[in-house]
Amino acid sequence: MSIFAGVYARRPDRPVPEGLAQQLRQAMSRHPDDADAVQAFADDRALLLTLDIGALGGQGSHADAGSVAFVAGAPLLHPADAAEPLARDASLAAIAHDLAADGDAALRACRGTYCAFVYDTGARRLHLMTDKSGVRPIYCWVSPDFIVFATALRIIEAVPFCKKTLGMQGIAEAATFGFALGDRTPYENVFSMLAGEHLVADGGELRRPRYWRWDEAMPPSASDLPAHERLHRTFRQAVRIRLGADRATAAFLSGGLDSRVIVAELRDAGAAVFTANYAPPGSQDQVLGKMISDRLGTHNTPLVRTAVVEGDPYSKATVHEWLKLPAYAAAGPARPRVLWSGDGGSVGLGHVYLNQDMVDSLRAGDVDASIRQFFAYNRLGLSVKLFKSHVGSEMNSLMMQGVRSELQALAPADPGRAWYLFLMMNDQRRHLFNHFESMDLGRLEFELPFFDAEFLADVMREPFDPFLRHGFYVQWLQQFNPAVAGTPWQAYPRHVPCPHPLPEEATYQWDKMGAAELRRRIQAALANARELLAPDFNRQYLGTLRVRLFMLALRLSGKDYLHQLRAPTLLHRYWTRTLAD
């Protein structure tokens, strides 16, 4: 399954209202082909809805005399005594049987990217679970009588029965980082399940245990290979178990490292690989992507982004057109709407956003100094200049409180690893939420080997410091096809540089935006600012004079003050949605 949602009645005398059931059904998909495709299970305590876009193998479902279960993604349950993980449906069945016996061994043995629910039809007990990194989301709205859950926030937003209240802390965090921290969302009464979480709803009782925590010590590896060899072996296995019997597949291929090591392993496995690059013409990203494509022997296509859907960063309309290439169809891909993506590699293995100073401060117990260093290094901050003073002060305080509490909730053996875990459990966990939010319209699935749980466990078994600044990563490249380390790549600023000369004529990815792009963004910002002048919103949170002076400064200076709009625009967006309830 690709999308699921449901409602669970917490009291036997309060069945699911028909109006709520109808609203949930209507919200499942916005795609015209899905009108009759939603599958449903209902009894006197629950309504469970599922929709499969057909990109992955198997049914993604399981049912027996005692339970019904559905999964979005692939759990890849890997028994300790088995050479390969179980197939998608068999993995789900094993999870359901284990939960029926009050066990979590099956959950702990999964290495895939997925979320799922299991409903015990006899006991009327609901289980919701996320994978070890929480990459596929489940959102929950909870009231004394009902729990409404969905794999996309838009579904809960579209259900008027679920009255939502504004969550200022989640909004402040999202305006700073691009995502709320922990389980928070922009709504006070809607939460996003954490990584490795197993929620159990049993009547009026609601439990949220974690079956997996990355700050706990990893079980020792059974291998005595050197670290670079062991991690390469685990990564190769992560790619091959996801590839399965596919002999032709599609992948993103940039001028960086994450996608190239995936494509290299796919080619070494004998697959014909069709690659695409989104970079601007003449950029380093495009030129270097073409170079590694030529060396690895892929069928490469440069793409130009078209209009995106609801903030989707992957421009899926463009991808669908690319996947219609006659050569790709002729290659006979078994899963033509599955793409390989390097998401997770830069943080999970490259340890971007971190430096030695902030790590050392954590080890010395100076959390506040480490937070200041993290914000300075990554040029982060929450601009509250357009807010009324008391509102801006509250938002800043809530945001900093959230960062501090997230760090202090982590207890790794090496305190210096806390920022890494903070990023994995927040930035990386939420990294693809926009992709899953528009699954009904985008209709593409990703294979994400950098989020393989066994691979991440191998990373965390090693001492932390050698991974900083892509240090370990660059040495790790030597384990792959020689073309991987022998072809120039685009390195991150302030990270280990590429040892090969870069093409001089190619533009740099992180150069400042051009004048035309800045003008376009300023015009968009002015339009956003005009929306903020809505009387009720402006009276409660902002000030007319502040907003008008900001608009004047944008027009006259032509400078990039756009960051000052981020928090007000986000607050206005969710404030408007709560009014709709």
Side-chain angles (χ1 to χ4, degrees):
M1 294 298 164
S2 306
I3 304 167
F4 62 71
V7 55
Y8 174 78
R10 306 180 72 184
R11 292 167 43 183
D13 61 337
R14 289 292 308 274
V16 176
E18 181 54 38
L20 170 56
Q22 184 63 25
Q23 290 170 12
L24 205 56
R25 285 189 173 96
Q26 291 175 347
M28 278 289 286
S29 177
R30 299 159 293 180
H31 198 285
D33 292 348
D34 293 336
D36 299 316
V38 175
Q39 303 295 309
F41 169 89
D43 65 9
D44 59 337
R45 296 292 293 278
L47 169 67
L48 310 171
L49 303 173
T50 63
L51 174 64
D52 191 356
I53 65 170
L56 297 173
Q59 298 299 310
S61 62
H62 166 76
D64 57 26
S67 66
V68 293
F70 299 88
V71 64
L76 298 177
L77 191 155
H78 200 166
D81 58 350
E84 298 287 337
L86 301 181
R88 188 175 176 225
D89 293 351
S91 293
L92 180 61
I95 291 171
H97 293 152
D98 200 29
L99 293 179
D102 294 323
D104 67 0
L107 290 174
R108 295 179 62 84
C110 290
R111 59 190 298 175
T113 302
Y114 72 99
C115 62
F117 72 76
V118 176
Y119 181 60
D120 186 324
T121 55
R124 303 297 198 267
R125 184 183 301 118
L126 174 69
H127 301 266
L128 301 174
M129 61 224 69
T130 55
D131 65 54
K132 291 175 181 176
S133 295
V135 173
R136 292 191 81 124
I138 301 178
Y139 299 94
C140 299
W141 176 89
V142 179
S143 76
D145 296 328
F146 303 103
I147 298 172
V148 178
F149 61 91
T151 54
L153 183 59
R154 65 163 182 84
I155 295 176
I156 293 177
E157 287 179 322
V159 174
F161 185 93
C162 299
K163 304 298 182 184
K164 293 165 283 292
T165 56
L166 210 58
M168 293 295 282
Q169 183 163 358
I171 290 170
E173 292 166 349
T176 305
F177 297 100
F179 47 86
L181 303 179
D183 67 354
R184 287 181 286 280
T185 73
Y187 305 108
E188 192 69 38
N189 54 346
V190 179
F191 65 83
S192 170
M193 286 180 61
L194 299 167
E197 183 175 346
H198 169 207
L199 180 152
V200 184
D202 192 357
E205 183 181 11
L206 179 64
R207 304 190 304 275
R208 298 180 58 188
R210 304 278 294 277
Y211 69 88
W212 187 267
R213 289 189 62 100
W214 289 105
D215 56 349
E216 295 177 352
M218 294 297 108
S221 173
S223 170
D224 57 0
L225 290 172
H228 293 88
E229 294 181 36
R230 184 171 68 255
L231 262 73
H232 176 252
R233 186 188 65 176
T234 308
F235 186 76
R236 168 172 287 194
Q237 184 185 53
V239 171
R240 296 198 177 199
I241 61 177
R242 286 164 172 80
L243 180 65
D246 293 0
R247 298 275 59 91
T249 193
F252 295 118
L253 183 60
S254 72
L257 294 178
D258 304 328
S259 56
R260 77 166 56 185
V261 296
I262 292 172
V263 171
E265 287 303 323
L266 291 171
R267 293 292 294 129
D268 280 359
V273 184
F274 289 74
T275 55
N277 182 289
Y278 266 133
S283 65
Q284 283 187 9
D285 196 63
Q286 185 189 74
V287 172
L288 298 176
K290 176 66 165 56
M291 289 175 68
I292 189 62
S293 166
D294 291 344
R295 293 286 303 275
L296 293 175
T298 76
H299 308 268
N300 194 61
T301 303
L303 301 181
V304 177
R305 288 186 186 274
T306 57
V308 299
V309 175
E310 298 223 343
D312 170 33
Y314 292 97
S315 189
K316 292 173 186 175
T318 308
V319 173
H320 279 290
E321 289 303 310
W322 165 54
L323 294 179
K324 293 177 183 177
L325 285 174
Y328 186 53
R335 300 180 300 163
R337 285 188 285 129
V338 171
L339 290 97
W340 293 76
S341 174
D343 289 287
S346 296
V347 173
L349 189 65
H351 288 51
V352 295
Y353 311 129
L354 305 177
N355 67 16
Q356 195 68 54
D357 290 341
M358 67 184 73
V359 169
D360 291 342
S361 292
L362 281 182
R363 287 176 178 149
D366 196 340
V367 175
D368 287 345
S370 188
I371 292 173
R372 289 193 298 271
Q373 290 159 345
F374 180 85
F375 272 62
Y377 181 75
N378 292 294
R379 299 178 181 176
L380 284 172
L382 177 62
S383 178
V384 295
K385 289 184 178 180
L386 298 182
F387 288 108
K388 292 185 174 181
S389 298
H390 72 279
V391 176
S393 177
E394 178 192 11
M395 293 188 76
N396 248 322
S397 177
L398 287 171
M399 184 272 292
M400 292 303 296
Q401 175 186 320
V403 174
R404 192 175 293 106
S405 65
E406 283 296 301
L407 281 175
Q408 292 175 337
L410 297 165
D414 176 3
R417 202 186 291 268
W419 272 120
Y420 172 81
L421 295 172
F422 172 95
L423 291 169
M424 292 301 298
M425 298 300 96
N426 291 286
D427 172 83
Q428 294 298 281
R429 170 174 148 254
R430 308 243 189 183
H431 193 61
L432 289 166
F433 276 22
N434 280 338
H435 164 64
F436 298 118
E437 194 72 11
S438 61
M439 181 67 73
D440 58 328
L441 299 176
R443 309 183 87 75
L444 296 169
E445 288 278 6
F446 291 164
E447 290 288 8
L448 303 163
F450 274 106
F451 284 113
D452 182 85
E454 287 301 311
F455 178 73
L456 287 174
D458 264 354
V459 171
M460 294 188 211
R461 288 183 179 105
E462 295 302 312
F464 176 72
D465 297 59
F467 287 91
L468 292 172
R469 300 176 58 249
H470 272 77
F472 182 97
Y473 201 139
V474 171
Q475 298 176 29
W476 186 62
L477 299 178
Q478 303 300 324
Q479 304 298 318
F480 292 82
N481 180 309
V484 170
T487 304
W489 62 86
Q490 190 168 235
Y492 279 86
R494 297 173 292 183
H495 280 237
V496 176
C498 174
H500 308 295
L502 299 174
E504 294 182 2
E505 71 283 359
T507 57
Y508 186 48
Q509 178 177 337
W510 287 282
D511 281 343
K512 293 181 179 180
M513 75 178 76
E517 173 64 14
L518 179 59
R519 284 194 298 272
R520 187 195 66 77
R521 293 184 62 187
I522 286 175
Q523 291 305 311
L526 289 169
N528 285 345
R530 282 189 285 272
E531 291 183 3
L532 301 181
L533 291 172
D536 289 345
F537 179 78
N538 191 49
R539 187 180 307 114
Q540 186 172 357
Y541 297 109
L542 308 177
T544 301
L545 182 60
R546 285 184 175 90
V547 178
R548 292 200 181 281
L549 287 175
F550 169 77
M551 295 172 70
L552 182 63
L554 274 183
R555 289 192 186 99
L556 296 180
S557 71
K559 292 184 178 179
D560 187 358
Y561 297 131
L562 309 185
H563 62 283
Q564 295 184 20
L565 270 182
R566 191 174 302 131
T569 300
L570 203 62
L571 178 60
H572 181 262
R573 178 190 308 163
Y574 292 104
W575 175 82
T576 303
R577 292 176 183 176
T578 58
L579 292 183
D581 290 341

